[in-house]
Amino acid sequence: MSWDIVIGLEVHVELSTRSKIFCGCPTDFGAAPNTQCCPICIGMPGALPVLNEKVLEYAVKAGLALDCEIQRNNQFDRKHYFYPDLPKAYQNSQLYLPYCKDGHVDLTLSSGETKRIRIRGIHMEEDAGKLIHSPAGDCTYLDYNRGCVPLIEIVSQPDMCSAEEAVAYVSHIKSTLEYLEVSDCQMQEGSLRADVNLSVKPGGSEELGTRTEMKNLNSFRAIERAIAFEAERHIAILEDGGAVKQETRRWDDNKGQSFAMRSKENAQDYRYFPDPDLPPLVVEDAFIERLRANLPEFAAAKAARFVAECGLNPTDAATITADKTIAALFEDTAALAKSAKEVSAWMLGDMMYHMSDRGMDSGALQIKPAAFAAFVGAVTDGQINRTAGKKVFEYVFDGGDDVAGYIAEHGLLQISDDGAIGAAVDKVLAANEKAVAEYREGKTKAFGFLVGQVMKDLQGKGNPGQINAMLKEKLEEV
């Protein structure tokens, strides 16, 4: 029997305001526990919250960027639940009148297909504190620094049917919010995390199955693995004649499994009601239009421009613009360099390799655009070949800025002298008679071997084009 997977996501994003949503406490990540709280954060009796206007601004910008309709009239509600990370026993959120509804994200999948994922709504809320469980398992510590940090929760419709679509959707949201500069979206720090709501149903059926929710997934890999595991778990239960329980589950990335936490609550279980301490919000048209007029150029538009202006292919342009920092580095370097395509090639090749090899994200890049452009010029002008270029690029990657000096100091200038190359070719042909004979018998792989030997004799500095041409000329002599 075939099964269809149905996925909806709730993406929680911490906004990068300097102070919290309802008080003036700072929001710095990594501060000592319980040093960034006040009576409002921890819900002391009589403490009155006041909305941070910057939170509303950032939230509305996110809604506009995701093609949502901004609700002019909205309000905060109290969502009640009893858990140690929420000392006042309720969370300020928005249920009845959220500020944002009916948006969408258009995804381009690996197949080339375009798919629209609808956004049901976005609401503002406060984050909860953090529980730190003792390794010994005998106690739990409470850190309320994160309590009252501003969040937006982006709730999709159940329009996704694969892990690829879910990851692409979260990646699009992450990129969009980074371009807006409303969140740092550091998933490893919890600034962006996703709850996955998943169900399965018989192939082609219109009736949705029972869903489960996996909480607080904070990496693309975790989202992908959790969806694969949970879908298989649902299918196994149903094919065995059982029934899936509606519940909230915890994903353990180390074990690659999900575990039941509690039965899944519905809205009525939280006993929502309008918060009496926070008056209803009226968002004026002028405020919305001012923010709309100042939205940045987003990844898709920037990629299209790079294709039109720089001659990049659409796939390379999409990869470069997916990350705001990398897109800016490309644009700044291409403006100074002789070849934008050459900049793109080194970014997508050696730069991405070094980032992956060192476990770096784009925020740690030290490349200076002027040095990068000078390096590209050295390659395109034939001052260095690509073998030497790899060594020079690593110098640029590490923040080096004197490209010409580095090339001279390390003796990396390309050898283009016909006499020197001819002498090396003659030497290699004389020392490798077997390979010469094999090439003349039609075994073309021998040619690559001979090129490598000439390059080795020239200490990797020979001009590849000249080496190839001269070798062919000599080998074709009778």
Side-chain angles (χ1 to χ4, degrees), residues 298-382:
F298 292 107
K302 196 177 286 288
R305 181 164 61 81
F306 288 171
V307 170
E309 295 179 2
C310 303
L312 303 190
N313 69 58
T315 300
D316 290 350
T319 302
I320 285 171
T321 56
D323 185 293
K324 178 177 181 289
T325 301
I326 290 175
L329 175 61
F330 170 81
E331 192 158 19
D332 292 345
T333 304
L336 302 171
K338 294 185 175 181
S339 170
K341 285 188 176 181
E342 194 74 21
V343 175
S344 167
W346 285 97
M347 290 183 80
L348 296 174
D350 285 51
M351 188 186 83
M352 295 295 188
Y353 166 77
H354 287 304
M355 289 175 65
S356 175
D357 185 57
R358 303 183 193 189
M360 292 171 53
D361 62 25
S362 62
L365 284 171
Q366 302 178 60
I367 298 174
K368 298 177 176 65
F372 195 176
F375 161 75
V376 168
V379 174
T380 56
D381 289 346

Coordinates of all heavy atoms in Angstrom, one line a residue, residues 298-382:
F298 N 15.6 40.8 -2.0 CA 15.8 39.4 -1.4 C 16.5 38.5 -2.3 O 16.9 38.8 -3.5 CB 14.4 38.9 -1.1 CG 13.7 39.6 0.1 CD1 12.6 40.5 -0.2 CD2 14.2 39.5 1.4 CE1 12.1 41.2 0.9 CE2 13.6 40.1 2.4 CZ 12.5 41.0 2.2
A299 N 16.7 37.3 -1.9 CA 17.6 36.3 -2.6 C 17.1 36.1 -4.0 O 18.0 36.1 -4.9 CB 17.6 35.0 -1.8
A300 N 15.8 35.8 -4.2 CA 15.4 35.5 -5.6 C 15.6 36.6 -6.6 O 16.1 36.4 -7.7 CB 13.9 35.1 -5.6
A301 N 15.3 37.8 -6.1 CA 15.5 39.0 -7.0 C 17.0 39.2 -7.2 O 17.5 39.6 -8.3 CB 14.9 40.2 -6.4
K302 N 17.8 39.1 -6.2 CA 19.3 39.3 -6.3 C 19.9 38.2 -7.3 O 20.7 38.5 -8.1 CB 19.9 39.2 -4.9 CG 21.3 39.7 -4.9 CD 21.9 39.7 -3.5 CE 21.3 40.8 -2.6 NZ 21.8 42.1 -3.0
A303 N 19.4 37.0 -7.1 CA 19.9 35.9 -8.0 C 19.6 36.2 -9.5 O 20.4 36.0 -10.4 CB 19.3 34.6 -7.6
A304 N 18.3 36.7 -9.7 CA 18.0 37.0 -11.1 C 18.8 38.1 -11.6 O 19.2 38.1 -12.8 CB 16.5 37.4 -11.1
R305 N 19.2 39.1 -10.8 CA 20.1 40.2 -11.2 C 21.5 39.7 -11.5 O 22.1 40.1 -12.5 CB 20.1 41.3 -10.2 CG 20.9 42.5 -10.5 CD 20.7 43.7 -9.7 NE 20.9 43.4 -8.2 CZ 22.1 43.5 -7.7 NH1 23.2 43.8 -8.4 NH2 22.3 43.3 -6.4
F306 N 22.0 38.8 -10.7 CA 23.3 38.2 -10.9 C 23.4 37.4 -12.2 O 24.4 37.4 -12.9 CB 23.7 37.3 -9.7 CG 24.1 38.1 -8.5 CD1 24.3 37.4 -7.3 CD2 24.2 39.5 -8.5 CE1 24.6 38.0 -6.1 CE2 24.5 40.1 -7.3 CZ 24.7 39.4 -6.1
V307 N 22.3 36.8 -12.6 CA 22.2 36.0 -13.8 C 22.2 37.0 -15.0 O 23.0 36.9 -16.0 CB 20.9 35.2 -13.9 CG1 20.7 34.6 -15.3 CG2 21.0 34.0 -12.9
A308 N 21.5 38.1 -14.9 CA 21.4 39.1 -16.0 C 22.6 39.9 -16.1 O 23.1 40.2 -17.2 CB 20.1 40.0 -15.7
E309 N 23.2 40.4 -15.0 CA 24.3 41.3 -15.0 C 25.7 40.7 -15.0 O 26.6 41.2 -15.6 CB 24.2 42.3 -13.8 CG 23.0 43.2 -13.8 CD 22.9 44.1 -12.6 OE1 23.8 44.1 -11.8 OE2 21.9 44.9 -12.5
C310 N 25.8 39.5 -14.4 CA 27.1 38.9 -14.2 C 27.3 37.6 -15.0 O 28.4 37.1 -15.0 CB 27.3 38.6 -12.7 SG 27.2 40.0 -11.6
G311 N 26.2 37.2 -15.6 CA 26.3 36.0 -16.5 C 26.4 34.7 -15.7 O 26.8 33.7 -16.3
L312 N 26.0 34.7 -14.4 CA 26.0 33.4 -13.7 C 24.8 32.5 -14.2 O 23.8 33.0 -14.6 CB 25.8 33.7 -12.2 CG 26.8 34.6 -11.5 CD1 26.6 34.5 -10.0 CD2 28.3 34.2 -11.9
N313 N 25.0 31.2 -14.0 CA 23.9 30.4 -14.3 C 22.9 30.4 -13.1 O 23.3 30.7 -12.0 CB 24.3 28.9 -14.7 CG 24.9 28.2 -13.5 OD1 24.3 28.0 -12.5 ND2 26.1 27.7 -13.7
P314 N 21.6 30.1 -13.3 CA 20.6 30.2 -12.2 C 21.0 29.4 -11.0 O 20.7 29.9 -9.9 CB 19.3 29.8 -12.9 CG 19.5 30.1 -14.4 CD 21.0 29.8 -14.6
T315 N 21.5 28.2 -11.2 CA 21.8 27.4 -10.0 C 22.9 28.0 -9.2 O 22.8 28.1 -7.9 CB 22.2 26.0 -10.5 OG1 21.2 25.4 -11.2 CG2 22.5 25.1 -9.3
D316 N 24.0 28.5 -9.8 CA 25.1 29.1 -9.0 C 24.6 30.4 -8.4 O 24.9 30.7 -7.2 CB 26.2 29.4 -10.0 CG 27.0 28.2 -10.4 OD1 26.7 27.1 -9.9 OD2 27.8 28.3 -11.3
A317 N 23.8 31.2 -9.1 CA 23.3 32.4 -8.5 C 22.4 32.1 -7.3 O 22.5 32.9 -6.3 CB 22.5 33.2 -9.6
A318 N 21.5 31.1 -7.4 CA 20.7 30.8 -6.2 C 21.5 30.3 -5.0 O 21.2 30.6 -3.9 CB 19.7 29.7 -6.7
T319 N 22.6 29.6 -5.3 CA 23.4 29.1 -4.2 C 24.1 30.3 -3.5 O 24.2 30.3 -2.2 CB 24.5 28.1 -4.7 OG1 23.8 27.0 -5.3 CG2 25.3 27.6 -3.6
I320 N 24.6 31.2 -4.3 CA 25.3 32.3 -3.7 C 24.4 33.2 -2.9 O 24.7 33.7 -1.8 CB 26.1 33.1 -4.8 CG1 27.3 32.3 -5.3 CG2 26.5 34.5 -4.4 CD1 27.9 32.9 -6.6
T321 N 23.2 33.5 -3.4 CA 22.3 34.4 -2.8 C 21.5 33.8 -1.6 O 20.8 34.6 -0.9 CB 21.3 35.0 -3.8 OG1 20.6 34.0 -4.5 CG2 22.1 35.9 -4.9
A322 N 21.6 32.5 -1.5 CA 20.8 31.9 -0.3 C 21.3 32.5 1.0 O 20.6 32.5 2.0 CB 21.0 30.4 -0.4
D323 N 22.6 32.9 1.1 CA 23.2 33.4 2.3 C 23.5 34.9 2.1 O 24.3 35.2 1.1 CB 24.4 32.6 2.6 CG 25.0 33.0 4.0 OD1 25.5 34.2 4.0 OD2 25.1 32.2 4.9
K324 N 22.9 35.7 2.9 CA 23.1 37.2 2.7 C 24.6 37.6 2.7 O 25.0 38.4 1.9 CB 22.3 37.9 3.8 CG 22.4 39.4 3.8 CD 21.6 40.0 4.8 CE 21.6 41.6 4.8 NZ 22.9 42.1 5.3
T325 N 25.4 37.0 3.7 CA 26.8 37.4 3.8 C 27.6 37.0 2.6 O 28.4 37.8 2.1 CB 27.4 36.8 5.1 OG1 26.6 37.2 6.2 CG2 28.8 37.2 5.2
I326 N 27.3 35.8 2.1 CA 28.0 35.3 0.9 C 27.6 36.1 -0.3 O 28.5 36.5 -1.2 CB 27.8 33.8 0.7 CG1 28.5 33.1 1.8 CG2 28.2 33.4 -0.7 CD1 28.2 31.6 1.8
A327 N 26.3 36.5 -0.4 CA 25.9 37.3 -1.6 C 26.6 38.7 -1.6 O 27.0 39.2 -2.6 CB 24.4 37.5 -1.5
A328 N 26.7 39.3 -0.4 CA 27.4 40.6 -0.3 C 28.8 40.5 -0.7 O 29.4 41.3 -1.3 CB 27.2 41.1 1.1
L329 N 29.5 39.4 -0.2 CA 30.9 39.2 -0.6 C 31.1 39.0 -2.1 O 32.0 39.6 -2.7 CB 31.4 37.9 0.1 CG 32.9 37.5 -0.2 CD1 33.9 38.6 0.1 CD2 33.3 36.2 0.5
F330 N 30.2 38.3 -2.7 CA 30.2 38.1 -4.2 C 30.1 39.5 -4.8 O 30.8 39.9 -5.7 CB 29.2 37.2 -4.7 CG 29.0 37.2 -6.2 CD1 29.9 36.4 -6.9 CD2 28.1 37.9 -6.8 CE1 29.9 36.5 -8.3 CE2 28.0 38.0 -8.2 CZ 28.9 37.2 -8.9
E331 N 29.0 40.2 -4.4 CA 28.7 41.5 -5.1 C 29.9 42.5 -4.9 O 30.3 43.2 -5.9 CB 27.4 42.1 -4.5 CG 26.9 43.2 -5.4 CD 25.4 43.4 -5.1 OE1 24.8 42.9 -4.1 OE2 24.8 44.0 -6.0
D332 N 30.4 42.6 -3.7 CA 31.5 43.5 -3.5 C 32.8 43.1 -4.2 O 33.5 44.0 -4.8 CB 31.8 43.6 -2.0 CG 30.7 44.2 -1.2 OD1 29.9 44.9 -1.8 OD2 30.7 44.0 0.1
T333 N 33.1 41.8 -4.3 CA 34.2 41.4 -5.1 C 34.1 41.5 -6.6 O 35.0 42.0 -7.3 CB 34.6 39.9 -4.7 OG1 34.7 39.8 -3.3 CG2 35.8 39.4 -5.4
A334 N 32.9 41.1 -7.1 CA 32.6 41.2 -8.5 C 32.7 42.6 -9.0 O 33.1 42.8 -10.2 CB 31.3 40.6 -8.8
A335 N 32.4 43.6 -8.2 CA 32.5 45.0 -8.6 C 33.9 45.4 -8.8 O 34.2 46.4 -9.6 CB 31.8 45.9 -7.5
L336 N 34.9 44.7 -8.2 CA 36.3 45.1 -8.3 C 37.1 44.1 -9.3 O 38.2 44.5 -9.7 CB 36.9 45.0 -6.9 CG 36.4 45.9 -5.8 CD1 37.0 45.6 -4.5 CD2 36.6 47.4 -6.2
A337 N 36.5 43.0 -9.5 CA 37.2 41.9 -10.2 C 37.0 42.0 -11.7 O 36.1 42.6 -12.2 CB 36.8 40.5 -9.7
K338 N 37.9 41.3 -12.5 CA 37.8 41.3 -14.0 C 36.8 40.3 -14.4 O 36.3 40.4 -15.6 CB 39.2 41.0 -14.6 CG 40.2 42.0 -14.3 CD 41.5 41.7 -15.0 CE 42.5 42.9 -14.9 NZ 43.8 42.6 -15.6
S339 N 36.4 39.3 -13.6 CA 35.5 38.3 -14.1 C 34.6 37.9 -12.9 O 35.1 37.2 -11.9 CB 36.2 37.1 -14.6 OG 35.4 36.0 -14.8
A340 N 33.3 38.2 -13.0 CA 32.4 37.8 -12.0 C 32.2 36.3 -11.9 O 32.0 35.7 -10.9 CB 31.0 38.5 -12.2
K341 N 32.3 35.7 -13.1 CA 32.1 34.2 -13.2 C 33.3 33.5 -12.5 O 33.1 32.5 -11.8 CB 32.1 33.7 -14.6 CG 30.7 34.0 -15.3 CD 30.7 33.3 -16.7 CE 29.4 33.5 -17.3 NZ 29.3 32.8 -18.7
E342 N 34.5 34.1 -12.6 CA 35.6 33.5 -11.9 C 35.5 33.7 -10.4 O 35.8 32.8 -9.6 CB 36.9 34.2 -12.3 CG 38.2 33.5 -12.0 CD 38.5 32.3 -12.8 OE1 37.9 32.1 -13.9 OE2 39.2 31.4 -12.3
V343 N 34.9 34.8 -9.9 CA 34.7 35.0 -8.5 C 33.7 33.9 -8.0 O 33.9 33.2 -7.0 CB 34.1 36.4 -8.2 CG1 33.6 36.5 -6.8 CG2 35.0 37.5 -8.6
S344 N 32.6 33.7 -8.8 CA 31.6 32.7 -8.5 C 32.3 31.3 -8.4 O 32.0 30.5 -7.5 CB 30.5 32.7 -9.5 OG 29.7 31.6 -9.4
A345 N 33.1 31.0 -9.4 CA 33.7 29.6 -9.4 C 34.6 29.3 -8.2 O 34.5 28.3 -7.6 CB 34.6 29.5 -10.7
W346 N 35.4 30.3 -7.7 CA 36.2 30.1 -6.5 C 35.4 30.1 -5.3 O 35.7 29.4 -4.3 CB 37.3 31.2 -6.5 CG 38.4 31.0 -7.5 CD1 38.5 31.5 -8.7 CD2 39.5 30.1 -7.3 NE1 39.6 31.0 -9.3 CE2 40.2 30.1 -8.5 CE3 39.9 29.2 -6.3 CZ2 41.4 29.4 -8.7 CZ3 41.1 28.4 -6.5 CH2 41.8 28.5 -7.7
M347 N 34.3 30.9 -5.2 CA 33.4 30.9 -4.0 C 32.7 29.5 -3.9 O 32.7 28.9 -2.8 CB 32.4 32.0 -4.1 CG 32.9 33.4 -4.0 SD 31.7 34.7 -4.0 CE 31.1 34.5 -2.3
L348 N 32.2 29.0 -5.0 CA 31.4 27.8 -4.9 C 32.3 26.5 -4.8 O 31.9 25.5 -4.4 CB 30.5 27.6 -6.2 CG 29.4 28.7 -6.3 CD1 28.7 28.6 -7.6 CD2 28.4 28.6 -5.1
G349 N 33.6 26.7 -5.2 CA 34.5 25.6 -5.1 C 35.3 25.7 -3.9 O 35.0 25.1 -2.8
D350 N 36.5 26.3 -3.9 CA 37.4 26.3 -2.8 C 36.9 27.0 -1.5 O 37.1 26.5 -0.4 CB 38.7 27.0 -3.2 CG 39.6 26.1 -4.2 OD1 39.0 25.6 -5.1 OD2 40.7 25.9 -3.9
M351 N 36.1 28.1 -1.7 CA 35.6 28.8 -0.5 C 34.7 27.8 0.3 O 34.8 27.7 1.5 CB 34.9 30.1 -0.8 CG 34.6 30.9 0.4 SD 33.6 32.4 0.0 CE 31.9 31.7 -0.1
M352 N 33.7 27.3 -0.4 CA 32.8 26.4 0.2 C 33.5 25.1 0.8 O 33.1 24.7 1.9 CB 31.7 25.9 -0.8 CG 30.8 27.0 -1.3 SD 29.8 27.7 0.0 CE 28.7 28.8 -1.0
Y353 N 34.5 24.7 0.1 CA 35.3 23.5 0.7 C 35.9 23.9 2.0 O 35.8 23.1 3.0 CB 36.4 23.1 -0.3 CG 37.4 22.2 0.3 CD1 37.1 20.8 0.5 CD2 38.6 22.6 0.7 CE1 38.0 20.0 1.1 CE2 39.5 21.8 1.3 CZ 39.2 20.5 1.5 OH 40.1 19.6 2.1
H354 N 36.6 25.0 2.0 CA 37.3 25.4 3.3 C 36.3 25.7 4.4 O 36.6 25.3 5.6 CB 38.2 26.7 3.0 CG 39.4 26.4 2.2 ND1 40.3 25.5 2.6 CD2 39.8 27.0 1.1 CE1 41.3 25.5 1.7 NE2 41.0 26.4 0.8
M355 N 35.2 26.3 4.1 CA 34.1 26.5 5.1 C 33.7 25.2 5.7 O 33.5 25.0 6.9 CB 33.0 27.3 4.5 CG 33.3 28.7 4.2 SD 31.9 29.6 3.4 CE 30.6 29.6 4.7
S356 N 33.4 24.2 4.8 CA 32.9 22.9 5.3 C 34.0 22.2 6.1 O 33.7 21.6 7.1 CB 32.5 22.1 4.1 OG 32.1 20.8 4.5
D357 N 35.2 22.2 5.6 CA 36.3 21.5 6.2 C 36.6 22.1 7.6 O 37.0 21.3 8.5 CB 37.6 21.6 5.3 CG 38.7 20.8 5.8 OD1 38.6 19.6 6.0 OD2 39.8 21.4 6.1
R358 N 36.4 23.3 7.8 CA 36.7 24.0 9.1 C 35.4 24.1 10.0 O 35.5 24.7 11.1 CB 37.3 25.3 8.9 CG 38.6 25.2 8.0 CD 39.3 26.6 7.9 NE 40.3 26.6 6.9 CZ 41.2 27.6 6.7 NH1 41.1 28.7 7.5 NH2 42.1 27.5 5.7
G359 N 34.3 23.7 9.5 CA 33.0 23.8 10.2 C 32.6 25.2 10.4 O 32.1 25.6 11.5
M360 N 32.8 26.1 9.4 CA 32.6 27.5 9.6 C 31.2 27.9 9.0 O 30.8 27.2 8.0 CB 33.6 28.4 8.9 CG 35.0 28.3 9.5 SD 36.2 29.1 8.4 CE 35.5 30.7 8.1
D361 N 30.6 28.9 9.5 CA 29.5 29.5 8.8 C 29.9 30.8 8.2 O 31.1 31.3 8.4 CB 28.3 29.7 9.7 CG 28.5 30.7 10.9 OD1 29.4 31.5 10.8 OD2 27.8 30.5 11.9
S362 N 29.1 31.5 7.4 CA 29.5 32.6 6.6 C 29.9 33.8 7.5 O 30.7 34.7 7.1 CB 28.4 33.1 5.7 OG 27.2 33.4 6.4
G363 N 29.3 33.8 8.7 CA 29.7 34.9 9.7 C 31.1 35.0 10.1 O 31.6 36.0 10.5
A364 N 31.8 33.8 9.9 CA 33.2 33.8 10.3 C 34.2 34.0 9.2 O 35.4 34.0 9.3 CB 33.5 32.4 10.9
L365 N 33.7 34.3 8.0 CA 34.6 34.6 6.8 C 35.4 35.8 7.0 O 34.9 36.8 7.5 CB 33.7 34.7 5.5 CG 33.1 33.5 4.9 CD1 32.2 33.8 3.8 CD2 34.3 32.5 4.4
Q366 N 36.7 35.7 6.6 CA 37.6 36.8 6.8 C 38.1 37.4 5.4 O 38.9 38.2 5.3 CB 38.9 36.4 7.5 CG 38.6 35.8 8.9 CD 39.9 35.3 9.6 OE1 40.8 36.1 9.8 NE2 40.0 34.0 9.9
I367 N 37.5 36.9 4.3 CA 37.9 37.3 3.0 C 37.7 38.8 2.8 O 36.6 39.2 3.0 CB 37.2 36.4 1.9 CG1 37.5 35.0 2.1 CG2 37.6 36.9 0.5 CD1 36.8 34.0 1.2
K368 N 38.7 39.5 2.3 CA 38.5 40.9 1.9 C 38.3 41.0 0.4 O 39.0 40.5 -0.4 CB 39.8 41.6 2.3 CG 40.1 41.6 3.8 CD 41.5 42.3 4.1 CE 41.7 42.3 5.6 NZ 41.9 41.0 6.2
P369 N 37.2 41.7 0.1 CA 36.8 41.8 -1.4 C 38.0 42.3 -2.3 O 38.2 41.7 -3.4 CB 35.6 42.7 -1.4 CG 35.0 42.5 0.0 CD 36.2 42.3 0.9
A370 N 38.7 43.3 -1.8 CA 39.8 43.8 -2.7 C 40.9 42.7 -2.9 O 41.4 42.6 -4.0 CB 40.4 45.0 -2.0
A371 N 41.2 41.9 -1.9 CA 42.2 40.9 -2.0 C 41.7 39.8 -2.9 O 42.4 39.2 -3.7 CB 42.6 40.3 -0.6
F372 N 40.4 39.4 -2.7 CA 39.8 38.4 -3.5 C 39.8 38.8 -5.0 O 40.2 38.0 -5.9 CB 38.3 38.2 -3.1 CG 37.7 36.9 -3.6 CD1 36.4 36.6 -3.1 CD2 38.3 36.1 -4.5 CE1 35.7 35.5 -3.5 CE2 37.6 34.9 -4.9 CZ 36.4 34.6 -4.5
A373 N 39.5 40.1 -5.3 CA 39.5 40.6 -6.7 C 40.9 40.6 -7.2 O 41.1 40.2 -8.4 CB 38.9 42.0 -6.7
A374 N 41.9 40.9 -6.4 CA 43.3 40.9 -6.9 C 43.7 39.5 -7.2 O 44.4 39.2 -8.2 CB 44.2 41.5 -5.8
F375 N 43.3 38.5 -6.4 CA 43.6 37.1 -6.7 C 42.9 36.7 -8.0 O 43.6 36.0 -8.8 CB 43.0 36.2 -5.5 CG 42.9 34.8 -5.9 CD1 44.0 34.0 -6.0 CD2 41.6 34.3 -6.1 CE1 43.8 32.6 -6.3 CE2 41.4 33.0 -6.5 CZ 42.6 32.1 -6.6
V376 N 41.7 37.0 -8.2 CA 41.0 36.6 -9.5 C 41.8 37.3 -10.6 O 41.9 36.6 -11.7 CB 39.5 37.1 -9.4 CG1 38.9 37.0 -10.8 CG2 38.8 36.3 -8.4
G377 N 42.2 38.5 -10.5 CA 43.0 39.1 -11.6 C 44.3 38.4 -11.9 O 44.7 38.2 -13.0
A378 N 44.9 37.9 -10.8 CA 46.2 37.1 -11.0 C 45.9 35.8 -11.8 O 46.8 35.4 -12.6 CB 46.8 36.8 -9.6
V379 N 44.8 35.2 -11.5 CA 44.4 34.0 -12.2 C 44.1 34.3 -13.7 O 44.6 33.6 -14.6 CB 43.2 33.2 -11.5 CG1 42.8 32.1 -12.4 CG2 43.6 32.8 -10.1
T380 N 43.2 35.2 -13.9 CA 42.7 35.5 -15.3 C 43.8 36.1 -16.1 O 43.8 35.9 -17.4 CB 41.5 36.5 -15.2 OG1 41.8 37.7 -14.5 CG2 40.3 35.8 -14.5
D381 N 44.8 36.8 -15.5 CA 45.9 37.4 -16.3 C 47.0 36.4 -16.6 O 48.0 36.7 -17.2 CB 46.5 38.6 -15.6 CG 45.5 39.8 -15.6 OD1 44.6 39.8 -16.4 OD2 45.8 40.7 -14.8
G382 N 46.9 35.2 -16.0 CA 47.9 34.2 -16.2 C 49.1 34.3 -15.3 O 50.2 33.7 -15.6

